[in-house]
Amino acid sequence: MANYSSMIMQTSKIKGRRPKSDIGLRLQEKGISQLDIANMLKVKPASVHNVVSGKKRTPRIRQAISFALGLPESEIWPETLSKRRRS
């Protein structure tokens, strides 16, 4: 029987988005909370959570998360780059 983590990975691949916890874990590793991002941007924590979980694609929040992690958006959300290329 597959473990829980691999089931999440498989489900997220089917839905076309990263596992919910992946971005959150990266932030935690850097000592940054979703609440920190929300306070910095003066948005509701739920707005940041929606971007982290893949429910929303708010560019301003994505940019802040990208900056906080020190990674390009295309590495955090690879589907963004592929959609831009198709346009």
Side-chain angles (χ1 to χ4, degrees):
M1 177 179 220
N3 65 24
Y4 183 71
S5 297
S6 56
M7 288 190 303
I8 291 173
M9 291 291 285
Q10 290 170 353
T11 303
S12 65
K13 287 178 185 175
I14 293 168
K15 292 181 181 178
R17 62 181 183 191
R18 299 178 70 85
K20 289 182 182 182
S21 59
D22 189 44
I23 298 167
L25 286 174
R26 288 182 178 194
L27 287 169
Q28 275 184 329
E29 288 170 359
K30 294 269 188 176
I32 302 165
S33 70
Q34 292 180 34
L35 184 59
D36 293 334
I37 301 282
N39 289 336
M40 182 179 70
L41 297 175
K42 297 183 175 151
V43 298
K44 294 179 181 179
S47 298
V48 176
H49 171 77
N50 286 337
V51 172
V52 168
S53 67
K55 293 178 185 175
K56 298 283 183 179
R57 295 183 175 165
T58 309
R60 185 168 162 244
I61 296 173
R62 281 186 170 204
Q63 288 170 356
I65 292 169
S66 173
F67 180 79
L69 293 175
L71 297 169
E73 284 184 65
S74 59
E75 188 173 323
I76 302 168
W77 295 280
E79 75 280 2
T80 302
L81 184 60
S82 64
K83 286 185 180 181
R84 286 182 186 163
R85 287 184 179 164
R86 282 189 245 152
S87 305

